[in-house]
């Protein structure tokens, strides 16, 4: 998924809270630009941090299984 805070705010008119509500089926979030993987409990904090700091990533991956091993490659 492409994550662009400007687009969330000014095009889709949603917040990270709104976005996370639609991601309840997923357990993990892989964020290549931050070289990190977070569990569901941290989705909101992480996406809010990215939103507040205008951090863009064009390759977020939401998954049911832990894909953090991808970061090691």
């Amino acid at each position: 998924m492409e994550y662009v805070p400007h687009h969330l705010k000014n095009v889709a008119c949603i917040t990270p809270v709104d976005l996370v509500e639609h991601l309840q089926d997923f357990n993990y979030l892989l964020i290549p630009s931050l070289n990190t993987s977070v569990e569901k409990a941290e989705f909101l904090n992480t996406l809010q941090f990215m939103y507040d700091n205008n951090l863009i990533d064009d390759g977020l991956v939401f998954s049911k299984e832990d894909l953090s091993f991808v970061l090691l490659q």
Side-chain angles (χ1 to χ4, degrees):
M1 173 187 146
E2 183 178 56
Y3 189 84
V4 181
H6 171 79
H7 293 168
L8 291 176
K9 196 179 308 180
N10 299 303
V11 177
C13 299
I14 64 171
T15 66
V17 172
D18 300 324
L19 179 59
V20 168
E21 286 179 12
H22 296 285
L23 301 171
Q24 295 305 309
D25 291 339
F26 300 101
N27 298 320
Y28 296 94
L29 164 57
L30 182 69
I31 308 169
S33 64
L34 298 178
N35 197 35
T36 193
S37 176
V38 295
E39 294 185 17
K40 183 186 282 192
E42 290 301 313
F43 282 8
L44 180 56
N45 289 338
T46 304
L47 293 174
Q48 187 69 54
F49 173 81
M50 292 178 71
Y51 186 87
D52 293 343
N53 292 285
N54 199 37
L55 299 177
I56 297 168
D57 193 302
D58 63 358
L60 295 186
V61 177
F62 294 92
S63 174
K64 292 184 179 190
E65 297 180 24
D66 186 3
L67 299 176
S68 59
F69 67 88
V70 173
L71 296 172
L72 301 174
Q73 297 179 6

